[in-house]
C-alpha cells in the first residue's frame, strides 16, 4: 500500500521571555492538527520532554530531548521551527536512528537541503536542521512513522549577562497548556558563591539543593501540565568582573570575560520636541508583544511629556498615519490609534524613505523581517529599532541601527525599565584590551557600542596569562579600565563555541562580505548559520555517497569503506547542455515537418476485443505507436519518467511509467513521421507529408490566411467559496475580509482568492497587500513565494516579482526551476542580457539526479531562442553554443509551472479535431508536441503547435498526484499562454490558479480561437 507523505509544521519557542515585567506570553505545546483525506483531524503530540540545564558562571547550556508521537495511520514528514535568543545559535542536533540518538554533522546549507530531499525520495531517515530568515531555526524530520515515535534532541549555549539588579537570569518558556505524558527537568548550577533562586517556575515543588558550591534542582512528572515559565535568578557580587579560559593544544587559549562598567551616570539622550514613530503593521507583526511596546512608549512619554509625534505606517508601503500632539505626558490619542491598527500584508523596508514623516529621531517598531522587499531603508536621522518578537531578525535591526547612528532594543529579553534606560542613554564604546599584544580575535570588535553589563571573548596567545584589562569609554575622555581575572574552566562548558558564536554574530552584520568565513566557522565548530546546516543520515553509505564526514561513532566504518572504494559517490547530472543540443535537433526536425490529413472511409463496425482491435490497427498502420494498458499506480515516482495514459477495460485511466524514457524517445517518431492517435474516432487516420508551404492537405492553416487570427480567452475565476460570497454581499469588503481572516489565518488559498477578488474589482493596492500576506505565513517558504511570483507576473508587477523570485533562487539554487523563474522575470523587465545569462546558465550547472528532472531542456531551448530573436544585443554579449540556436516560431505555445515538489500536474490541450495532447499522447496528428511529463517537481510542461488549424483549442490542467501536502496547501499552477511565439508578433496571457485534487482534479484554464 502506497504511503502518504504529509508535511506538518510544529512551532516550538526557545526564546527568552521578559520575566521582570507583568506581561507574559502564553505558548502552546508544540503540536499541529493536520487534515487527512477524509477531512478528519489528527495530531502529532509531544509525548516526552526532557530538559537539561547546565550553568557554569555566566554560561548556560540547554539540551532539549523531545519525543513526538504520531497517532495517525499515515507516515508524516515533520518540520519543527523555533526562534533563538539574540546572539544564540543551535550548536547540537541529534535524531534517533534505529532506536539510538545520532549526532548531526555540519554541511553547507544548500547541499544539506539537496541531500535531504534526495534521500527523502528513497524513503529513508534523514534529518536536517537549518537557519532560516531572522534568528529562526527549522529542523526537517523524515519520517514520523504511522502510529510511531521519533526522538529529536537540540542543544544550544548562551552567555548570561548581568542585569541592572546585579543578577543574571536564565529564561526558558515552559508554560505549555496541554499535558506532557513524561516530563523531566534537571538543573545543575556549578561553582556559584550565591544560591540561585527561581523567580518563576513551572511547578511549586521545584527547589534548589546545595552540594558544596554546586546546586541542583529536578522535576519529574507524568501527565504534566505546566502553566508557567522557568526563570532562574543568579545573584552576582557587586561590580563583579569574571573570566574563564580553556587551553588549546597549541598553547593558546579561548577566554570569555564578563564586565560591569562603574556606575558613573551615563550621558542622557536629548530627544527634542518631536519624534517619528515607524509602526510595522504587516501580518507577521501580530506576533509582536504590542502591549509591551506600548508600555515602553508610556514610560518614554512620562519622561518626555511634551512632544509632536509623526506616525508612519509600514507594510509593503510606507505612508503617513497622523500627527499627534503629546501634552503633559498624555498620549491617549496616539495609543488608541495604534491599538486600532489592522495588521496585514508583507513588509518592505526599502519603502522607508525620508520625507514621508518628519522627525529628528525615529523609533522603528518591527521584527526585522522584510518579507516583500530589501532590508534597507533611507533616512537622514538616527533610527532606534525596537523589537518584542522572539522570532526577530536581530542582525537586520542592528545593521539599520548602526547605519543610522541609533540602537537596537530587544524587548524580548529585558524589562521595560531596562529597555528604556538603554534607549535613553548614550552608548559607551568598547575600546579594546590594554594588553593588546597578548590577545587576538576578540569580539565584539573594537569600537562596538556596549551596555553597562557586557561580555567579550577571544584568543589568548600564550599560556600563563591570568588577567586582562578591558578599556571602555565614550571615545572622547580617558577610557575606564576594568581588570578581569581569568580562571581555568575544566571543560564543563565549551568556550570555543561561545567565542565562535560571538564572531559569527559580528561578521553577520556584513554577511555578503563575510559569508565564506561564516561558513568555515559554522562547519568547524558545528554551529548553524545562514549558510551552514546540521544533518543526520541513516547509513554510513549515505555519508560516503554525499561526501560528508560522519559523526565519531561511524568514522571507523566510514574510513574502511572509503579505502575499499566499495560505495559509489553521487553522480551529478551535468549533461543538460548535451541534452539541450539533441532536443534542438529534434525541434528543428519537428518544425520542418508538416502534417496532412488523409481521409479514411468508414468501415463496418464489428465487435472486437481490445487485443484484436490493436492487432488490426498495427497491420493497417505499422508506424502507429500504441500505448500499453497497465494498471494505474497510486502515485507517480519522483524520478524522471515518461508516463503513458491509456483507457482500461473499465474506462478508468492509467499512467504507465517508463523509467528509461525521456523527451527524446517521446518525440523520436515525430522527427521523421507523425504518430497516429489511438482515437475513439476511427473514421480518420493521419500521415506525414513534407513541407506544404502553409497548406495541410487542402486545409488552410491560420498563418496562411491574412484575415484569420488567433485569440486567447481566459475563463472567469469562480467565486463560489463561502467567504467570497460574504465579501460580495458586504458593504465594506476589506473590513469583512479582516473579520473572516481569523477563521482562515493559515490557509494560503484564502489570501489568494481574496486578492483575486479585489484585483478583479479594480482595487490593485488592496489586492497586492493581501497577496503579500502569503510571505508572512511561514518563514522562508519557497512554495508560498512561488505562488506570489506567479500572481505578480499575471498582474504585470515585475518589480516585486523580481524580488520574490530572487528570494526563491537564494533559498533553492539547487533547483533549475528557480533559475528559470528568475530569468523570465528579468526578461519581463527588459533585462535581456541578464535573462539570457540565467537561462543559458541552467544548462551549464550540475544538479542532483532528483533536481534535474528530465525535460526542462526543451522549454529552455525555446525560451533561449525567443530571447535571442527578440533582442540581438543580448545575444551578442552572451556566448551561447551555436548548436542551440534555431528559429522556431510557433502559432501556439502553452507552458505550465507549479509551486510544489513531489507533485504531478499535467497539461492537456485538445485541438479542433478533438484530439487531446497529453502525457500518453505527446505528439498529435496535426503536429502538436508536448514536452516530457514532470512527475515529481515544479515543471515546466510545454505544448507547441507550429501551424494552427482553424477552430478552438481547449487548455486544461490536471492534478494527477500530490505526494507532499505542505503549508502551501493545494498546488498553485501558473500557465503562460502564447499566440505566435517567437514570430515578432507574439501575444501572451498568464493565468494562475490553485488546484485541489480532492475537490476539482482537472480544470479548464484557457482557450485558443483561430477564426
Amino acid at each position: 500500500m502506497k504511503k502518504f507523505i504529509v508535511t506538518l509544521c510544529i512551532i516550538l519557542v526557545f526564546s527568552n521571555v521578559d520575566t521582570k515585567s507583568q506581561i507574559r506570553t502564553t505558548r502552546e505545546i508544540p503540536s499541529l492538527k493536520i487534515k487527512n483525506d477524509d477531512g478528519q483531524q489528527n495530531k502529532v503530540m509531544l509525548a516526552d520532554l526532557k530538559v537539561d540545564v547546565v550553568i557554569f558562571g555566566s554560561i548556560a547550556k540547554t539540551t532539549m530531548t523531545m519525543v513526538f508521537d504520531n497517532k495517525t495511520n499515515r507516515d508524516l514528514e515533520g518540520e519543527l521551527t523555533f526562534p533563538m535568543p539574540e546572539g544564540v545559535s543551535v550548536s547540537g542536533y541529534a535524531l534517533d536512528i534505529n532506536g539510538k540518538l545520532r549526532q548531526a554533522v555540519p554541511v553547507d546549507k544548500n547541499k544539506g537541503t539537496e541531500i535531504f530531499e534526495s534521500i527523502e525520495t528513497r524513503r529513508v531517515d534523514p534529518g536536517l536542521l537549518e537557519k532560516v530568515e531572522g534568528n529562526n531555526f527549522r529542523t526537517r524530520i523524515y519520517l514520523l512513522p504511522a502510529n510511531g515515535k521519533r526522538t529529536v534532541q537540540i542543544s544550544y549555549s548562551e552567555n548570561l549577562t548581568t542585569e541592572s539588579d546585579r543578577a543574571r537570569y536564565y529564561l526558558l518558556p515552559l508554560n505549555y497548556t496541554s499535558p506532557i505524558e513524561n516530563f523531566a527537568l534537571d538543573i545543575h548550577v556549578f561553582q556559584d558563591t550565591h544560591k540561585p533562586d527561581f523567580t518563576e517556575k513551572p511547578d511549586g515543588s521545584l527547589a534548589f539543593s546545595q552540594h558544596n558550591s554546586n546546586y541542583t534542582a529536578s522535576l519529574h512528572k507524568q501527565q504534566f501540565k505546566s502553566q508557567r515559565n522557568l526563570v532562574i535568578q543568579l545573584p552576582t557580587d557587586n561590580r563583579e568582573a569574571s573570566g574563564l579560559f580553556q587551553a588549546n593544544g597549541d598553547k593558546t587559549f579561548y577566554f570569555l570575560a564578563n564586565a560591569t562598567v562603574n556606575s558613573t551616570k551615563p550621558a542622557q539622550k536629548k530627544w527634542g520636541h518631536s519624534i517619528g514613530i515607524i509602526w510595522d503593521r504587516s501580518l507577521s507583526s501580530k506576533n509582536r508583544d504590542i502591549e509591551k511596546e506600548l508600555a515602553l512608549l508610556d514610560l518614554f512619554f512620562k519622561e518626555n511629556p511634551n512632544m509632536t509625534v509623526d506616525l508612519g505606517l509600514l507594510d509593503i508601503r510606507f505612508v503617513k498615519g497622523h500627527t499627534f500632539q503629546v501634552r503633559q505626558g498624555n498620549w491617549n490619542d496616539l495609543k488608541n490609534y495604534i491599538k486600532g491598527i489592522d495588521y496585514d500584508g508583507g513588509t518592505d523596508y526599502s519603502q522607508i524613505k525620508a520625507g514621508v514623516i518628519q522627525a529628528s529621531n525615529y523609533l522603528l517598531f518591527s521584527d526585522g523581517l522584510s518579507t516583500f522587499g530589501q532590508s534597507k531603508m533611507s533616512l537622514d536621522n538616527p533610527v532606534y529599532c525596537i523589537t518584542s518578537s522572539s522570532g526577530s531578525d536581530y542582525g537586520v535591526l542592528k545593521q539599520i541601527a548602526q547605519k543610522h547612528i541609533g540602537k537596537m532594543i530587544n524587548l524580548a529579553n529585558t524589562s521595560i525599565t531596562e529597555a528604556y534606560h538603554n534607549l535613553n542613554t548614550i552608548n559607551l564604546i568598547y575600546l579594546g584590551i590594554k594588553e593588546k599584544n597578548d590577545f587576538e580575535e576578540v569580539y565584539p570588535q573594537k569600537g562596538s557600542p556596549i551596555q553597562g553589563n557586557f561580555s567579550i571573548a577571544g584568543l589568548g596567545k600564550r599560556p600563563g596569562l591570568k588577567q586582562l584589562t578591558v578599556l571602555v569609554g565614550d571615545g572622547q575622555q580617558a577610557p575606564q579600565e576594568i581588570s578581569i581575572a581569568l580562571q581555568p574552566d575544566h571543560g564543563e562548558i565549551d568556550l570555543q563555541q561561545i567565542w565562535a558564536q560571538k564572531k559569527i554574530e559580528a561578521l553577520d552584520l556584513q554577511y555578503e562580505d563575510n559569508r565564506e568565513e561564516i561558513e568555515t566557522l559554522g562547519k568547524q565548530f558545528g554551529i548553524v548559520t545562514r549558510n551552514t546546516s546540521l544533518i543526520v543520515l541513516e547509513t554510513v553509505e549515505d555519508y560516503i555517497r554525499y561526501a560528508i564526514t560522519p559523526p565519531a561513532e561511524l568514522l571507523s566504518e566510514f574510513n574502511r569503506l572509503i579505502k575499499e572504494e566499495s560505495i559509489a559517490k553521487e553522480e551529478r547530472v551535468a549533461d543538460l547542455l548535451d541534452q539541450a543540443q539533441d532536443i534542438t535537433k529534434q525541434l528543428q526536425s519537428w518544425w520542418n515537418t508538416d502534417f496532412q490529413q488523409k481521409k479514411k472511409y468508414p468501415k463496418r463496425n464489428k465487435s472486437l476485443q481490445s487485443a484484436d482491435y490493436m492487432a488490426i490497427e498495427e497491420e493497417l498502420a505499422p508506424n502507429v505507436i500504441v500505448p500499453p494498458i497497465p494498471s494505474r499506480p497510486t502515485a507517480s515516482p519522483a524520478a524522471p519518467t515518461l508516463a503513458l495514459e491509456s483507457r482500461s477495460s473499465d474506462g478508468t485511466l492509467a499512467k504507465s511509467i517508463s523509467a528509461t524514457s525521456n523527451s527524446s524517445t517521446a518525440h523520436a517518431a515525430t522527427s521523421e513521421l507523425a504518430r497516429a492517435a489511438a482515437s475513439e474516432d476511427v473514421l480518420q487516420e493521419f500521415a506525414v507529408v513534407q513541407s506544404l508551404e502553409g497548406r495541410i492537405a487542402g486545409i488552410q492553416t491560420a498563418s496562411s490566411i491574412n484575415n484569420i487570427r488567433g485569440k486567447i480567452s481566459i475563463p472567469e475565476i469562480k467565486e463560489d467559496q463561502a467567504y467570497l460570497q460574504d465579501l460580495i454581499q458586504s458593504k465594506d469588503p476589506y473590513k469583512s475580509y479582516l473579520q473572516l481572516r481569523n477563521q482562515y489565518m493559515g490557509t494560503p488559498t484564502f489570501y489568494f482568492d481574496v486578492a483575486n477578488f479585489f484585483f478583479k474589482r479594480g482595487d490593485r493596492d488592496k489586492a497586492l497587500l493581501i497577496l503579500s500576506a502569503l510571505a508572512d505565513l511561514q518563514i522562508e517558504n519557497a512554495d508560498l513565494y512561488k505562488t506570489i511570483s506567479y500572481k505578480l507576473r499575471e498582474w504585470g508587477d515585475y518589480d516585486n516579482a523580481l524580488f520574490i523570485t530572487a528570494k526563491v533562487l537564494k533559498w533553492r539554487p539547487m533547483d533549475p526551476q528557480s533559475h528559470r523563474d528568475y530569468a523570465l522575470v528579468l526578461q519581463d523587465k527588459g533585462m535581456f542580457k541578464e535573462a539570457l545569462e540565467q537561462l543559458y546558465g541552467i544548462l551549464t550547472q550540475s544538479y542532483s539526479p532528483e533536481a534535474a528532472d528530465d525535460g526542462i531542456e526543451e522549454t529552455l531551448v525555446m525560451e533561449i531562442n525567443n530571447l535571442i530573436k527578440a533582442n540581438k544585443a543580448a545575444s551578442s554579449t552572451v556566448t551561447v553554443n551555436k548548436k542551440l540556436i534555431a528559429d522556431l516560431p510557433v502559432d501556439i505555445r502553452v507552458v505550465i509551472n507549479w509551486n510544489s515538489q513531489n507533485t504531478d500536474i499535467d497539461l492537456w490541450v485538445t485541438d479542433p479535431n478533438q484530439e487531446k495532447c497529453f502525457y500518453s499522447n505527446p505528439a498529435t496528428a496535426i503536429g502538436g508536441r508536448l514536452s516530457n511529463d514532470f512527475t515529481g517537481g515544479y515543471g515546466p510542461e510545454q505544448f507547441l503547435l507550429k501551424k494552427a488549424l482553424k477552430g478552438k483549442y481547449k487548455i486544461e490542467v490536471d492534478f494527477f498526484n500530490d505526494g507532499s501536502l505542505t503549508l502551501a496547501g493545494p498546488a498553485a499552477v501558473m500557465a503562460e499562454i502564447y499566440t505566435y511565439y517567437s514570430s515578432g508578433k507574439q501575444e501572451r496571457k498568464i493565468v494562475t490558479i490553485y488546484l485541489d485534487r480532492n475537490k476539482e482534479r482537472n480544470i479548464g484554464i484557457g482557450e485558443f480561437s483561430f477564426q
Side-chain angles (χ1 to χ4, degrees):
M1 183 176 180
K2 183 69 180 176
K3 295 180 180 178
F4 292 91
I5 309 303
V6 181
T7 299
L8 61 106
C9 177
I10 308 169
I11 307 300
L12 180 65
V13 182
F14 294 155
S15 60
N16 286 356
V17 179
D18 176 23
T19 60
K20 298 182 282 295
S21 74
Q22 295 302 309
I23 299 165
R24 298 285 184 265
T25 301
T26 301
R27 294 188 175 93
E28 294 272 336
I29 188 172
S31 64
L32 182 73
K33 293 181 181 179
I34 56 173
K35 288 185 177 180
N36 59 16
D37 289 343
D38 57 8
Q40 295 179 353
Q41 297 290 329
N42 293 288
K43 277 191 175 182
V44 173
M45 305 296 297
L46 178 62
D48 301 345
L49 175 61
K50 186 177 188 300
V51 182
D52 292 292
V53 181
V54 177
I55 301 175
F56 190 91
S58 63
I59 307 299
K61 181 177 181 179
T62 305
T63 301
M64 302 189 75
T65 306
M66 297 156 281
V67 178
F68 292 99
D69 187 2
N70 177 10
K71 295 184 179 298
T72 74
N73 295 320
R74 307 158 74 185
D75 288 341
L76 306 175
E77 177 187 338
E79 187 173 284
L80 186 72
T81 305
F82 50 92
M84 277 283 149
E86 178 187 353
V88 177
S89 181
V90 175
S91 54
Y93 170 58
L95 182 69
D96 66 314
I97 300 291
N98 299 323
K100 180 182 177 182
L101 280 176
R102 177 172 296 167
Q103 294 298 319
V105 292
V107 65
D108 172 82
K109 181 180 179 180
N110 292 331
K111 181 179 179 180
T113 301
E114 192 173 37
I115 291 170
F116 180 89
E117 293 173 356
S118 174
I119 293 177
E120 194 179 33
T121 64
R122 294 194 278 115
R123 304 298 189 252
V124 293
D125 290 0
L128 181 71
L129 189 142
E130 56 193 344
K131 185 176 183 180
V132 291
E133 298 282 301
N135 203 41
N136 297 283
F137 296 80
R138 176 174 66 201
T139 175
R140 299 168 64 181
I141 312 153
Y142 183 85
L143 52 84
L144 293 167
N147 298 304
K149 297 181 179 181
R150 289 305 298 269
T151 303
V152 183
Q153 187 179 85
I154 293 172
S155 303
Y156 61 96
S157 298
E158 57 184 313
N159 181 40
L160 308 176
T161 57
T162 307
E163 301 292 341
S164 57
D165 60 356
R166 303 298 178 187
R168 301 187 185 107
Y169 288 85
Y170 171 85
L171 309 100
L172 181 71
L174 288 174
N175 56 336
Y176 303 128
T177 56
S178 299
I180 300 172
E181 187 175 338
N182 296 292
F183 176 82
L185 171 64
D186 293 290
I187 305 167
H188 299 269
V189 181
F190 291 100
Q191 299 181 16
D192 205 314
T193 56
H194 302 277
K195 183 178 180 179
D197 196 10
F198 296 103
T199 61
E200 187 174 347
K201 51 188 177 180
D203 186 87
S205 63
L206 189 63
F208 279 108
S209 59
Q210 183 175 359
H211 308 278
N212 298 322
S213 59
N214 301 329
Y215 299 87
T216 62
S218 295
L219 180 65
H220 292 242
K221 296 275 188 176
Q222 290 185 330
Q223 298 300 323
F224 179 66
K225 186 175 181 181
S226 171
Q227 296 184 350
R228 296 177 67 82
N229 298 312
L230 173 67
V231 184
I232 304 173
Q233 183 187 52
L234 302 154
T236 64
D237 291 326
N238 194 33
R239 300 183 185 177
E240 178 184 285
S242 61
L244 295 171
F245 73 89
Q246 286 177 347
N248 302 320
D250 60 356
K251 296 185 180 181
T252 64
F253 61 87
Y254 288 100
F255 75 87
L256 175 71
N258 291 280
T260 300
V261 180
N262 288 338
S263 57
T264 56
K265 187 174 181 180
Q268 301 294 302
K269 168 73 177 175
K270 295 181 180 179
W271 296 99
H273 299 293
S274 67
I275 195 169
I277 293 178
I278 302 171
W279 196 267
D280 184 347
R281 60 174 180 178
S282 64
L283 185 61
S284 67
S285 290
K286 288 177 70 69
N287 298 323
R288 294 183 358 230
D289 192 337
I290 303 298
E291 289 300 319
K292 193 168 187 179
E293 294 175 357
L294 294 177
L296 178 63
L297 284 175
D298 197 46
L299 185 55
F300 179 87
F301 289 122
K302 283 181 181 178
E303 298 294 324
N304 301 274
N306 298 296
M307 300 196 81
T308 299
V309 181
D310 255 11
L311 178 65
L313 303 173
L314 172 67
D315 41 55
I316 59 173
R317 301 176 186 85
F318 181 51
V319 297
K320 182 173 181 177
H322 197 66
T323 300
F324 297 89
Q325 301 297 327
V326 177
R327 294 292 178 262
Q328 298 180 346
N330 185 343
W331 67 292
N332 287 337
D333 289 345
L334 171 58
K335 182 190 295 186
N336 291 333
Y337 187 97
I338 291 174
K339 285 184 175 181
I341 287 175
D342 294 315
Y343 295 88
D344 197 13
T347 315
D348 185 356
Y349 280 8
S350 68
Q351 297 295 314
I352 302 177
K353 297 180 174 66
V356 178
I357 60 175
Q358 304 294 329
S360 54
N361 294 280
Y362 298 95
L363 303 180
L364 168 64
F365 290 85
S366 182
D367 56 14
L369 298 173
S370 185
T371 57
F372 211 72
Q374 298 294 333
S375 300
K376 298 177 181 179
M377 59 182 65
S378 179
L379 293 172
D380 299 329
N381 294 317
V383 178
Y384 294 79
C385 301
I386 301 164
T387 183
S388 60
S389 171
S390 58
S392 296
D393 193 324
Y394 303 111
V396 166
L397 296 174
K398 285 179 179 178
Q399 276 184 314
I400 293 170
Q402 286 189 10
K403 179 182 177 181
H404 294 88
I405 321 173
K407 290 185 180 182
M408 197 275 285
I409 306 297
N410 185 2
L411 282 172
N413 68 353
T414 188
S415 67
I416 293 167
T417 303
E418 187 84 14
Y420 179 72
H421 174 77
N422 293 338
L423 177 67
N424 201 48
T425 56
I426 296 175
N427 276 335
L428 292 171
I429 299 172
Y430 166 65
L431 299 174
I433 294 176
K434 188 175 182 179
E435 303 85 2
K436 59 182 179 181
N437 293 327
D438 292 331
F439 299 92
E440 63 182 356
E441 292 277 4
V442 178
Y443 297 93
Q445 294 171 314
K446 184 178 178 180
S448 299
I450 58 172
Q451 305 297 333
N453 307 293
F454 67 100
S455 65
I456 62 172
L459 272 170
K461 293 183 178 181
R462 56 186 176 87
L465 295 173
K466 296 183 178 180
Q467 183 173 303
L468 59 81
T469 307
V470 176
L471 305 177
V472 299
D474 58 9
Q476 299 177 1
Q477 300 179 3
Q480 181 182 149
E481 296 186 359
I482 305 172
S483 295
I484 302 175
L486 297 176
Q487 302 293 329
D489 171 68
H490 301 291
E492 288 87 352
I493 299 295
D494 194 346
L495 288 184
Q496 66 177 2
Q497 279 198 333
I498 298 293
W499 168 81
Q501 282 189 177
K502 282 187 170 291
K503 180 170 183 178
I504 290 169
E505 184 182 14
L507 294 176
D508 200 64
L509 293 176
Q510 302 296 330
Y511 172 74
E512 293 301 331
D513 296 334
N514 300 314
R515 60 186 305 161
E516 289 185 8
E517 189 172 3
I518 291 172
E519 181 177 341
T520 299
L521 285 166
K523 289 181 177 179
Q524 180 179 347
F525 294 99
I527 296 173
V528 182
T529 70
R530 287 204 223 183
N531 49 3
T532 309
S533 299
L534 295 177
I535 195 166
V536 176
L537 303 181
E538 183 181 23
T539 66
V540 178
E541 289 78 8
D542 282 334
Y543 288 97
I544 295 172
R545 183 174 290 110
Y546 298 106
I548 296 176
T549 303
E553 64 187 274
L554 301 178
L555 199 54
S556 60
E557 179 71 2
F558 176 84
N559 290 331
R560 183 184 68 80
L561 292 174
I562 286 286
K563 188 175 182 179
E564 293 176 359
E565 298 183 348
S566 59
I567 306 299
K569 293 186 178 181
E570 180 195 35
E571 291 188 11
R572 306 283 293 175
V573 176
D575 60 347
L576 294 191
L577 185 57
D578 292 339
Q579 294 181 38
Q581 292 172 12
D582 293 340
I583 287 291
T584 304
K585 291 180 182 178
Q586 294 177 36
L587 284 168
Q588 287 175 314
S589 178
W590 164 81
W591 195 89
N592 287 320
T593 300
D594 277 326
F595 301 84
Q596 170 181 307
Q597 184 184 62
K598 183 179 178 181
K599 186 172 182 180
K600 180 178 171 65
Y601 294 97
K603 56 187 176 181
R604 184 178 176 185
N605 185 14
K606 299 179 180 179
S607 298
L608 298 175
Q609 298 295 322
S610 293
D612 296 330
Y613 174 78
M614 292 170 65
I616 291 172
E617 285 298 308
E618 289 179 0
E619 184 177 350
L620 291 175
N623 289 325
V624 172
I625 300 174
V626 181
I629 307 179
S631 60
R632 180 175 185 138
T634 56
S636 301
T641 58
L642 173 68
L644 299 177
E645 181 176 85
S646 61
R647 190 171 298 276
S648 61
S649 58
D650 62 357
T652 59
L653 297 178
K655 202 168 189 179
S656 171
I657 306 301
S658 171
T660 58
S661 299
N662 55 31
S663 56
S664 300
T665 41
H667 300 107
T670 63
S671 299
E672 302 297 335
L673 63 149
R675 288 182 51 182
S679 172
E680 294 178 0
D681 183 359
V682 297
L683 297 181
Q684 299 174 346
E685 71 175 14
F686 297 92
V688 176
V689 297
Q690 295 304 310
S691 179
L692 295 177
E693 295 295 333
R695 183 175 295 272
I696 300 180
I699 299 178
Q700 293 175 312
T701 63
S703 54
S704 69
I705 304 176
N706 292 332
N707 62 350
I708 294 181
R709 296 290 297 172
K711 185 176 71 172
I712 304 168
S713 300
I714 304 297
E716 285 288 322
I717 297 174
K718 293 181 180 180
E719 293 185 341
D720 53 356
Q721 294 87 348
Y723 48 77
L724 291 182
Q725 291 298 313
D726 289 342
L727 298 186
I728 291 170
Q729 298 171 16
S730 174
K731 294 181 179 179
D732 187 343
Y734 185 71
K735 183 178 179 180
S736 297
Y737 149 72
L738 292 174
Q739 293 170 346
L740 288 165
R741 189 178 63 183
N742 291 332
Q743 304 172 44
Y744 302 97
M745 183 62 73
T747 307
T749 50
F750 170 73
Y751 300 89
F752 181 88
D753 291 338
V754 174
N756 271 328
F757 173 89
F758 281 97
F759 189 86
K760 182 178 177 180
R761 285 155 179 79
D763 195 339
R764 188 184 183 93
D765 289 345
K766 283 285 191 296
L768 185 59
L769 179 67
I770 296 166
L771 180 70
S772 71
L774 288 172
D776 277 23
L777 288 190
Q778 189 182 28
I779 296 171
E780 204 168 300
N781 186 308
D783 291 1
L784 293 175
Y785 269 66
K786 280 177 175 285
T787 303
I788 296 170
S789 71
Y790 296 163
K791 208 65 189 175
L792 291 173
R793 291 191 67 205
E794 178 185 333
W795 292 349
D797 188 347
Y798 304 133
D799 289 336
N800 282 317
L802 189 66
F803 171 80
I804 296 296
T805 53
K807 273 278 194 182
V808 175
L809 179 57
K810 176 184 173 183
W811 297 334
R812 299 194 61 83
M814 72 290 296
D815 295 332
Q817 294 88 345
S818 300
H819 296 266
R820 177 177 173 269
D821 289 344
Y822 181 59
L824 295 182
V825 179
L826 287 170
Q827 183 178 2
D828 288 338
K829 282 182 61 62
M831 302 170 69
F832 301 111
K833 174 179 176 293
E834 294 83 355
L836 186 56
E837 287 173 340
Q838 282 287 332
L839 284 177
Y840 187 68
I842 298 171
L843 299 173
T844 61
Q845 298 182 43
S846 68
Y847 306 94
S848 72
E850 290 75 20
D853 203 348
D854 197 15
I856 194 173
E857 303 90 347
E858 180 160 330
T859 304
L860 291 175
V861 167
M862 293 298 296
E863 289 166 344
I864 287 170
N865 282 289
N866 178 260
L867 254 174
I868 291 172
K869 190 170 183 179
N871 192 275
K872 298 294 184 183
S875 61
S876 65
T877 56
V878 180
T879 302
V880 176
N881 190 302
K882 292 182 179 179
K883 294 181 179 179
L884 293 185
I885 299 176
D887 188 13
L888 300 167
V890 294
D891 285 356
I892 289 177
R893 180 177 186 251
V894 183
V895 184
I896 64 168
N897 317 269
W898 53 95
N899 72 333
S900 300
Q901 282 189 306
N902 302 321
T903 303
D904 185 359
I905 308 292
D906 293 320
L907 172 63
W908 299 350
V909 179
T910 305
D911 65 28
N913 290 326
Q914 299 306 303
E915 183 179 6
K916 183 168 71 175
C917 188
F918 64 132
Y919 52 80
S920 71
N921 186 40
T924 66
I926 67 170
R929 175 186 178 95
L930 187 68
S931 63
N932 194 52
D933 180 24
F934 272 82
T935 60
Y938 304 106
E941 290 190 11
Q942 172 184 259
F943 172 82
L944 302 174
L945 182 62
K946 176 188 171 185
K947 294 183 182 296
L949 297 179
K950 184 177 180 180
K952 292 186 177 181
Y953 299 75
K954 183 170 65 173
I955 311 165
E956 297 172 280
V957 289
D958 178 69
F959 199 141
F960 186 83
N961 175 62
D962 181 8
S964 177
L965 182 63
T966 68
L967 178 65
V973 183
M974 179 185 72
E976 297 175 85
I977 305 171
Y978 294 89
T979 54
Y980 309 113
Y981 185 75
S982 279
S983 69
K985 299 179 182 179
Q986 74 182 39
E987 296 179 4
R988 180 187 74 179
K989 289 189 178 181
I990 295 178
V991 59
T992 309
I993 63 167
Y994 259 116
L995 197 60
D996 190 340
R997 187 170 186 261
N998 293 323
K999 295 179 181 178
E1000 195 168 25
R1001 211 191 97 172
N1002 66 287
I1003 188 171
I1005 58 171
E1007 184 179 83
F1008 294 102
S1009 178
F1010 283 82
Q1011 302 295 337

